[in-house]
Amino acid sequence: MGQIQTSHTLTTYQLTVSLLCVLLGVGVMNLPRTLTVHIGTADGWLSILFGGILITLQYAFVCFAFKRHNVHSIDEYTTKAFGAFISKAICLLLTIYFLLLGGWQAVAMSEMIRYFLLESTPHYVSIVTVLLLCAFAVYYSLPTIVRVACFFLPLTVVVLFLVLLIGFRDASILNIRPVAPEGMLPILLNSKNGLQSFQGIEMIFILLASIQKTVRPIKAGLGALMFATLLYAFTYLIVVATVGTVEVQMLTWPTITLTHASESSLLFTERADSFLITTWILQFFLTSLFTLYSAVFLLKKVFPVSRNWLIPPATISMIGLALWPQTIDDITKVSEYQQFAFVSFFFILPVTCYALVSLRKKARI
């Protein structure tokens, strides 16, 4: 098997697909419920739009900061800002974050499989299986991984759109009215819950090291974020308009339940949810695959050993983190940690690095 390469090979399209793969994970399946529970009305789609705008602005700043200081990955930036020792500590924290994020995707996938497909199969069987497959794929180069994503991602998006179009036939505008009955403040405050659905965009910290010189990462990222934001908002509107605000709050997987509430003799004959579940299992796999690659990439920056030797311990750690949550309280704690870590790494860390490196440059002058 080939080594994991960091040569500048990714095109604009491949970078866009890679970012979309890590953006379109659990959020599509449970975001309607999460936002509706927190806000209590059908205005979650506005929270998604506000959250998408905030993420997009920060993404543009990240690309600007990396280009301004001529760095290609987060380890280079933190080394310039904090020094080698603190940089390695930050890379280890980021590694844990990516391992937890990938493990979380595997947990969600296993719960969906157990709930809809294999009721008697232990959840750890699905988790271990998919993460071992991820480990096998990570042995190959990043371009190989991206080609797999380019093949499967269009399929998952097409199936999701077909399912949403089925639900559109039974959607009622009355279920999403009135708009902002309690004002804009609850919607803006709820945007922080919408931010969690954009977890994974911080993988740009890693992918910038592998893009071609002619690629404009801002263009690729804006395309991916705009598509993801509109897809999340459209999914939310269709699900809530079809199922209803009260019912959505009681469902674990409202997007899949949407297929039960609608039937189509034109596109699918019976179980449309089978198509959605099957393709979204591939999406969970791709998300975990990219996060495992990112974790191994960062570990290589900390430990001067072959990447192939880092993949097994990284995979075992991801499996352990995925199997750790046993109760609802554990899952809630993990979710809160992820949200805090995401804001810290994607918003606070780049701004801090930019400020420190800029001050150091001025001090030299």
Side-chain angles (χ1 to χ4, degrees):
M1 298 181 184
Q3 296 286 327
I4 301 175
Q5 302 294 331
T6 56
S7 56
H8 301 275
T9 57
L10 298 187
T11 64
T12 301
Y13 173 74
Q14 290 175 329
L15 178 60
T16 304
V17 169
S18 300
L19 292 174
L20 269 176
C21 276
V22 291
L23 285 171
L24 302 181
V26 180
V28 172
M29 297 294 109
N30 66 1
L31 187 61
R33 175 186 178 275
T34 302
L35 292 180
T36 306
V37 166
H38 283 90
I39 198 173
T41 65
D43 297 316
W45 63 279
L46 290 173
S47 297
I48 294 172
L49 294 180
F50 285 124
I53 292 172
L54 183 60
I55 290 290
T56 301
L57 292 174
Q58 178 61 18
Y59 176 88
F61 171 78
V62 169
C63 293
F64 163 77
F66 274 59
K67 184 177 181 180
R68 178 68 178 271
H69 292 143
N70 193 28
V71 292
H72 301 93
S73 59
I74 192 62
D75 61 287
E76 292 182 19
Y77 214 170
T78 52
T79 300
K80 280 190 174 183
F82 302 101
F85 180 78
I86 297 179
S87 175
K88 289 184 178 182
I90 294 174
C91 287
L92 283 176
L93 291 175
L94 269 170
T95 299
I96 296 172
Y97 169 74
F98 279 120
L99 292 174
L100 186 59
L101 182 59
W104 185 256
Q105 297 289 326
V107 170
M109 182 208 65
S110 68
E111 289 299 319
M112 188 174 71
I113 290 176
R114 184 168 60 174
Y115 191 81
F116 291 102
L117 299 176
L118 305 173
E119 297 180 3
S120 59
T121 301
H123 72 287
Y124 59 81
V125 174
S126 302
I127 292 174
V128 173
T129 300
V130 71
L131 293 184
L132 288 179
L133 288 174
C134 290
F136 175 79
V138 169
Y139 273 103
Y140 291 89
S141 63
L142 179 61
T144 302
I145 296 173
V146 173
R147 283 196 292 270
V148 174
C150 290
F151 178 79
F152 284 119
L153 181 66
L155 174 64
T156 60
V157 172
V158 167
V159 170
L160 177 61
F161 268 115
L162 290 178
V163 169
L164 292 177
L165 288 176
I166 294 174
F168 184 76
R169 298 173 54 209
D170 299 320
S172 173
I173 195 173
L174 297 177
N175 288 332
I176 56 176
R177 294 179 59 189
V179 177
E182 301 177 4
M184 294 302 297
L185 183 59
I187 296 173
L188 292 174
L189 293 176
N190 196 37
S191 296
K192 67 181 181 65
N193 296 302
L195 288 179
Q196 194 168 6
S197 62
F198 294 97
Q199 280 185 315
I201 190 63
E202 64 276 14
M203 210 184 76
I204 191 63
F205 295 163
I206 311 300
L207 293 178
L208 281 176
S210 302
I211 63 174
Q212 295 179 3
K213 294 182 179 180
T214 57
V215 171
R216 294 182 178 180
I218 290 183
K219 179 180 179 181
L222 292 183
L225 285 168
M226 184 180 299
F227 184 87
T229 301
L230 294 177
L231 182 61
Y232 279 135
F234 185 60
T235 301
Y236 181 93
L237 285 170
I238 296 298
V239 171
V240 175
T242 303
V243 182
T245 304
V246 177
E247 290 78 4
V248 164
Q249 298 182 49
M250 298 184 292
L251 299 172
T252 304
W253 306 99
T255 306
I256 297 177
T257 304
L258 172 69
T259 63
H260 295 164
S262 306
E263 294 181 357
S264 173
S265 59
L266 296 177
L267 300 176
F268 302 105
T269 55
E270 294 181 358
R271 296 290 297 273
D273 59 332
S274 299
F275 290 91
L276 182 60
I277 292 170
T278 301
T279 55
W280 223 257
I281 288 173
L282 295 173
Q283 188 58 42
F284 284 133
F285 165 74
L286 290 174
T287 305
S288 296
L289 173 57
F290 275 103
T291 54
L292 181 58
Y293 172 86
S294 300
V296 174
F297 177 94
L298 290 169
L299 283 176
K300 174 61 180 175
K301 302 299 181 179
V302 178
F303 302 105
V305 297
S306 171
R307 291 187 179 92
N308 287 353
W309 288 101
L310 294 172
I311 294 174
T315 305
I316 293 172
S317 299
M318 184 177 282
I319 292 173
L321 290 171
L323 296 177
W324 166 48
Q326 297 294 326
T327 65
I328 296 297
D329 291 337
D330 293 336
I331 294 175
T332 302
K333 290 179 181 178
V334 171
S335 179
E336 292 174 353
Y337 165 77
Q338 281 187 325
Q339 193 171 30
F340 173 78
F342 173 61
V343 172
S344 299
F345 288 131
F346 189 65
F347 287 88
I348 299 176
L349 181 60
V351 173
T352 304
C353 289
Y354 180 82
L356 290 177
V357 175
S358 298
L359 288 174
R360 288 189 175 185
K361 282 191 172 183
K362 288 184 179 180
R364 294 193 191 103
I365 296 174

Coordinates of all heavy atoms in Angstrom, one line a residue, residues 137-192:
A137 N -8.5 2.2 4.2 CA -8.5 3.2 3.1 C -7.4 4.3 3.4 O -6.8 4.8 2.4 CB -9.9 3.9 3.0
V138 N -7.2 4.6 4.7 CA -6.2 5.7 5.0 C -4.8 5.3 4.6 O -3.9 6.1 4.5 CB -6.3 6.1 6.5 CG1 -5.2 7.0 6.9 CG2 -7.6 6.8 6.7
Y139 N -4.5 4.0 4.5 CA -3.2 3.6 4.1 C -2.9 4.1 2.7 O -1.7 4.2 2.3 CB -3.1 2.0 4.1 CG -2.7 1.5 5.4 CD1 -3.7 0.9 6.2 CD2 -1.4 1.5 5.9 CE1 -3.3 0.4 7.5 CE2 -1.0 1.0 7.1 CZ -2.0 0.4 7.9 OH -1.6 -0.1 9.1
Y140 N -3.9 4.4 1.9 CA -3.6 4.9 0.5 C -3.4 6.4 0.6 O -3.6 7.1 1.6 CB -4.8 4.5 -0.4 CG -4.9 3.0 -0.7 CD1 -5.6 2.2 0.2 CD2 -4.2 2.5 -1.7 CE1 -5.7 0.8 -0.1 CE2 -4.3 1.1 -2.0 CZ -5.0 0.3 -1.2 OH -5.1 -1.0 -1.4
S141 N -3.1 7.0 -0.5 CA -2.8 8.4 -0.6 C -4.1 9.2 -0.6 O -5.2 8.7 -0.8 CB -2.1 8.8 -1.9 OG -2.9 8.5 -3.0
L142 N -4.0 10.5 -0.2 CA -5.1 11.4 -0.1 C -5.9 11.5 -1.5 O -7.1 11.4 -1.5 CB -4.7 12.8 0.3 CG -5.9 13.8 0.4 CD1 -6.9 13.3 1.4 CD2 -5.3 15.2 0.9
P143 N -5.2 11.6 -2.6 CA -5.9 11.6 -3.9 C -6.8 10.4 -4.1 O -7.9 10.5 -4.7 CB -4.8 11.7 -4.9 CG -3.7 12.4 -4.2 CD -3.7 11.9 -2.8
T144 N -6.3 9.2 -3.7 CA -7.1 8.0 -3.8 C -8.4 8.1 -2.9 O -9.5 7.8 -3.4 CB -6.3 6.8 -3.4 OG1 -5.2 6.7 -4.2 CG2 -7.2 5.5 -3.5
I145 N -8.3 8.6 -1.7 CA -9.4 8.8 -0.8 C -10.4 9.8 -1.4 O -11.6 9.6 -1.4 CB -8.9 9.3 0.6 CG1 -8.1 8.2 1.2 CG2 -10.1 9.7 1.5 CD1 -7.4 8.7 2.5
V146 N -9.9 10.9 -2.0 CA -10.7 11.9 -2.6 C -11.5 11.4 -3.8 O -12.6 11.7 -4.0 CB -9.9 13.1 -3.0 CG1 -10.8 14.1 -3.7 CG2 -9.4 13.8 -1.7
R147 N -10.8 10.5 -4.6 CA -11.5 9.9 -5.7 C -12.7 9.0 -5.3 O -13.7 9.0 -5.9 CB -10.5 9.1 -6.6 CG -9.6 9.9 -7.4 CD -8.9 9.1 -8.5 NE -8.0 8.2 -7.9 CZ -6.7 8.5 -7.7 NH1 -6.2 9.7 -8.0 NH2 -5.9 7.6 -7.2
V148 N -12.5 8.3 -4.2 CA -13.6 7.6 -3.6 C -14.8 8.5 -3.2 O -16.0 8.2 -3.5 CB -13.2 6.8 -2.4 CG1 -14.4 6.1 -1.7 CG2 -12.1 5.7 -2.8
A149 N -14.4 9.6 -2.6 CA -15.5 10.6 -2.2 C -16.2 11.2 -3.4 O -17.4 11.4 -3.4 CB -14.8 11.7 -1.4
C150 N -15.4 11.5 -4.5 CA -16.0 12.0 -5.7 C -16.9 11.1 -6.4 O -17.9 11.5 -7.1 CB -14.9 12.4 -6.7 SG -13.9 13.9 -6.2
F151 N -16.8 9.8 -6.1 CA -17.6 8.8 -6.7 C -18.9 8.6 -5.9 O -20.0 8.6 -6.5 CB -16.9 7.4 -6.8 CG -17.8 6.3 -7.3 CD1 -18.0 6.2 -8.7 CD2 -18.4 5.4 -6.5 CE1 -18.8 5.2 -9.2 CE2 -19.2 4.4 -7.0 CZ -19.4 4.3 -8.3
F152 N -18.8 8.6 -4.6 CA -20.0 8.3 -3.7 C -20.8 9.6 -3.4 O -22.0 9.5 -3.2 CB -19.5 7.6 -2.4 CG -19.2 6.2 -2.6 CD1 -17.9 5.7 -2.3 CD2 -20.1 5.3 -3.1 CE1 -17.6 4.4 -2.5 CE2 -19.8 4.0 -3.3 CZ -18.5 3.5 -3.0
L153 N -20.2 10.7 -3.2 CA -20.9 11.9 -2.7 C -22.1 12.3 -3.7 O -23.2 12.6 -3.2 CB -20.0 13.1 -2.5 CG -20.6 14.4 -2.0 CD1 -21.2 14.2 -0.6 CD2 -19.7 15.6 -2.0
P154 N -21.9 12.4 -5.0 CA -23.0 12.7 -5.8 C -24.2 11.8 -5.7 O -25.3 12.2 -5.7 CB -22.4 12.6 -7.2 CG -21.0 12.9 -7.1 CD -20.6 12.2 -5.7
L155 N -23.9 10.5 -5.4 CA -25.0 9.5 -5.2 C -25.8 9.8 -4.0 O -27.0 9.8 -4.0 CB -24.4 8.1 -5.1 CG -25.3 7.0 -4.8 CD1 -26.4 6.8 -5.9 CD2 -24.6 5.7 -4.6
T156 N -25.1 10.1 -2.9 CA -25.8 10.4 -1.7 C -26.7 11.7 -1.8 O -27.8 11.8 -1.3 CB -24.9 10.5 -0.5 OG1 -23.9 11.6 -0.7 CG2 -24.1 9.3 -0.3
V157 N -26.1 12.7 -2.4 CA -26.9 14.0 -2.6 C -28.1 13.8 -3.5 O -29.2 14.3 -3.2 CB -25.9 15.0 -3.2 CG1 -26.7 16.3 -3.5 CG2 -24.8 15.4 -2.2
V158 N -27.9 13.0 -4.6 CA -29.1 12.8 -5.5 C -30.2 12.1 -4.8 O -31.4 12.4 -4.9 CB -28.6 12.0 -6.7 CG1 -29.8 11.5 -7.5 CG2 -27.7 12.9 -7.6
V159 N -29.8 11.0 -4.0 CA -30.9 10.3 -3.3 C -31.6 11.1 -2.3 O -32.8 11.1 -2.1 CB -30.2 9.0 -2.6 CG1 -31.2 8.4 -1.7 CG2 -29.7 8.0 -3.7
L160 N -30.8 12.0 -1.5 CA -31.4 12.9 -0.6 C -32.4 13.8 -1.2 O -33.5 14.0 -0.7 CB -30.3 13.6 0.2 CG -30.8 14.7 1.2 CD1 -31.7 14.0 2.3 CD2 -29.7 15.4 1.8
F161 N -32.0 14.4 -2.4 CA -32.9 15.3 -3.1 C -34.1 14.6 -3.6 O -35.2 15.2 -3.5 CB -32.2 16.0 -4.3 CG -31.5 17.2 -3.9 CD1 -30.1 17.4 -4.0 CD2 -32.2 18.4 -3.5 CE1 -29.5 18.6 -3.6 CE2 -31.6 19.6 -3.2 CZ -30.2 19.7 -3.3
L162 N -34.0 13.4 -4.0 CA -35.2 12.6 -4.5 C -36.1 12.4 -3.3 O -37.4 12.5 -3.4 CB -34.8 11.3 -5.1 CG -34.0 11.4 -6.4 CD1 -33.6 10.0 -6.9 CD2 -34.9 12.1 -7.5
V163 N -35.6 12.1 -2.1 CA -36.4 11.8 -0.9 C -37.1 13.1 -0.5 O -38.3 13.1 -0.2 CB -35.6 11.3 0.2 CG1 -36.3 11.3 1.5 CG2 -35.1 9.9 -0.1
L164 N -36.4 14.3 -0.6 CA -37.0 15.5 -0.2 C -38.1 15.9 -1.2 O -39.1 16.5 -0.8 CB -35.9 16.6 -0.2 CG -34.9 16.5 1.0 CD1 -33.8 17.6 0.9 CD2 -35.5 16.5 2.3
L165 N -37.9 15.6 -2.5 CA -38.9 15.9 -3.5 C -40.2 15.1 -3.2 O -41.3 15.6 -3.4 CB -38.4 15.7 -4.9 CG -37.3 16.7 -5.4 CD1 -36.8 16.3 -6.8 CD2 -37.9 18.1 -5.5
I166 N -40.0 13.9 -2.8 CA -41.1 13.1 -2.4 C -41.9 13.7 -1.3 O -43.1 13.8 -1.3 CB -40.7 11.6 -2.0 CG1 -40.1 10.9 -3.2 CG2 -41.9 10.9 -1.4 CD1 -39.5 9.6 -2.8
G167 N -41.2 14.2 -0.2 CA -41.8 14.8 0.9 C -42.5 16.1 0.5 O -43.4 16.5 1.2
F168 N -41.9 16.8 -0.5 CA -42.4 18.1 -0.9 C -43.9 18.0 -1.3 O -44.7 19.0 -1.1 CB -41.6 18.7 -2.0 CG -42.0 20.1 -2.4 CD1 -41.7 21.2 -1.7 CD2 -42.7 20.3 -3.6 CE1 -42.0 22.5 -2.0 CE2 -43.1 21.5 -4.0 CZ -42.7 22.6 -3.2
R169 N -44.3 16.9 -1.8 CA -45.7 16.7 -2.3 C -46.7 16.8 -1.1 O -47.8 17.3 -1.3 CB -45.8 15.4 -3.0 CG -45.0 15.2 -4.2 CD -45.1 13.8 -4.7 NE -46.5 13.4 -4.9 CZ -46.9 12.1 -4.8 NH1 -46.1 11.2 -4.5 NH2 -48.2 11.8 -5.0
D170 N -46.3 16.4 0.1 CA -47.1 16.4 1.2 C -46.9 17.5 2.2 O -47.4 17.6 3.3 CB -47.0 15.0 2.0 CG -47.4 13.9 1.1 OD1 -48.4 14.0 0.3 OD2 -46.7 12.8 1.1
A171 N -45.9 18.4 1.8 CA -45.6 19.5 2.7 C -46.7 20.5 2.8 O -47.4 20.8 1.8 CB -44.3 20.2 2.3
S172 N -46.9 21.1 4.0 CA -47.9 22.1 4.2 C -47.3 23.4 4.8 O -46.6 23.3 5.8 CB -49.0 21.6 5.2 OG -49.9 22.6 5.6
I173 N -47.5 24.5 4.1 CA -46.9 25.7 4.6 C -47.4 26.2 5.9 O -46.7 26.9 6.6 CB -47.1 26.8 3.5 CG1 -46.2 28.0 3.8 CG2 -48.6 27.3 3.5 CD1 -46.3 29.1 2.7
L174 N -48.5 25.6 6.3 CA -49.1 26.0 7.6 C -48.2 25.5 8.8 O -48.2 26.0 9.9 CB -50.5 25.4 7.8 CG -51.5 25.9 6.8 CD1 -52.9 25.2 7.0 CD2 -51.7 27.4 6.9
N175 N -47.4 24.4 8.5 CA -46.6 23.8 9.6 C -45.3 24.7 9.8 O -44.7 24.5 10.8 CB -46.1 22.4 9.2 CG -47.3 21.4 9.3 OD1 -48.2 21.6 10.1 ND2 -47.2 20.4 8.5
I176 N -45.0 25.6 8.9 CA -43.8 26.5 9.1 C -44.2 27.9 9.3 O -43.4 28.8 9.2 CB -42.8 26.3 8.0 CG1 -43.5 26.6 6.6 CG2 -42.2 24.9 7.9 CD1 -42.6 26.6 5.5
R177 N -45.5 28.2 9.5 CA -46.0 29.5 9.8 C -46.4 29.6 11.3 O -46.9 28.6 11.8 CB -47.1 29.9 8.9 CG -46.6 30.1 7.4 CD -47.8 30.4 6.5 NE -48.4 31.7 6.9 CZ -49.6 32.2 6.4 NH1 -50.2 31.5 5.6 NH2 -50.0 33.3 6.9
P178 N -46.4 30.8 11.9 CA -45.8 32.1 11.4 C -44.3 32.1 11.5 O -43.7 31.3 12.2 CB -46.5 33.1 12.3 CG -46.6 32.4 13.6 CD -47.0 31.0 13.2
V179 N -43.7 33.0 10.7 CA -42.2 33.1 10.8 C -41.8 34.1 11.9 O -42.4 35.2 12.0 CB -41.7 33.6 9.4 CG1 -40.2 33.8 9.5 CG2 -42.1 32.7 8.3
A180 N -40.9 33.6 12.7 CA -40.4 34.4 13.8 C -41.5 35.0 14.7 O -41.5 36.2 14.9 CB -39.5 35.5 13.3
P181 N -42.3 34.2 15.3 CA -43.4 34.7 16.1 C -42.9 35.3 17.4 O -43.6 36.1 18.0 CB -44.3 33.5 16.4 CG -43.3 32.3 16.3 CD -42.4 32.7 15.2
E182 N -41.7 34.9 17.9 CA -41.1 35.4 19.1 C -40.0 36.4 18.9 O -39.2 36.7 19.8 CB -40.7 34.3 20.0 CG -41.8 33.3 20.4 CD -41.3 32.1 21.2 OE1 -40.1 32.1 21.5 OE2 -42.1 31.2 21.5
G183 N -39.9 36.9 17.6 CA -38.8 37.8 17.3 C -37.5 37.1 16.8 O -37.5 35.8 16.7
M184 N -36.5 37.9 16.5 CA -35.3 37.3 15.9 C -34.3 36.9 17.0 O -33.4 36.1 16.7 CB -34.6 38.4 15.0 CG -35.4 38.7 13.8 SD -35.7 37.3 12.7 CE -34.1 36.8 12.3
L185 N -34.4 37.3 18.2 CA -33.4 37.0 19.2 C -33.3 35.5 19.5 O -32.2 34.9 19.5 CB -33.7 37.7 20.5 CG -32.7 37.5 21.7 CD1 -31.3 37.9 21.2 CD2 -33.1 38.2 22.9
P186 N -34.4 34.7 19.7 CA -34.3 33.3 19.8 C -33.7 32.6 18.6 O -33.0 31.6 18.8 CB -35.8 32.8 20.0 CG -36.5 34.1 20.5 CD -35.8 35.2 19.8
I187 N -34.0 33.1 17.5 CA -33.4 32.5 16.2 C -31.9 32.7 16.2 O -31.1 31.8 15.9 CB -34.1 33.1 15.0 CG1 -35.6 32.8 15.0 CG2 -33.4 32.6 13.7 CD1 -36.3 33.5 13.9
L188 N -31.4 33.9 16.6 CA -30.0 34.2 16.6 C -29.3 33.3 17.6 O -28.2 32.8 17.4 CB -29.8 35.6 16.8 CG -30.2 36.6 15.7 CD1 -30.0 38.0 16.1 CD2 -29.4 36.3 14.4
L189 N -29.9 33.2 18.8 CA -29.3 32.4 19.9 C -29.3 30.9 19.5 O -28.4 30.2 19.9 CB -30.1 32.6 21.2 CG -30.1 34.0 21.8 CD1 -31.0 34.1 23.1 CD2 -28.6 34.4 22.2
N190 N -30.3 30.5 18.7 CA -30.3 29.1 18.3 C -29.3 28.8 17.2 O -29.1 27.6 16.9 CB -31.7 28.7 17.8 CG -32.0 27.3 17.7 OD1 -31.5 26.5 18.6 ND2 -32.7 26.8 16.7
S191 N -28.7 29.8 16.6 CA -27.7 29.6 15.6 C -26.5 28.8 16.1 O -25.9 28.1 15.3 CB -27.2 31.0 15.0 OG -28.3 31.6 14.4
K192 N -26.2 28.9 17.4 CA -25.1 28.2 17.9 C -25.3 26.7 17.8 O -24.3 25.9 17.7 CB -24.8 28.6 19.4 CG -25.9 28.2 20.4 CD -25.5 28.6 21.8 CE -26.6 28.2 22.8 NZ -26.7 26.8 22.9

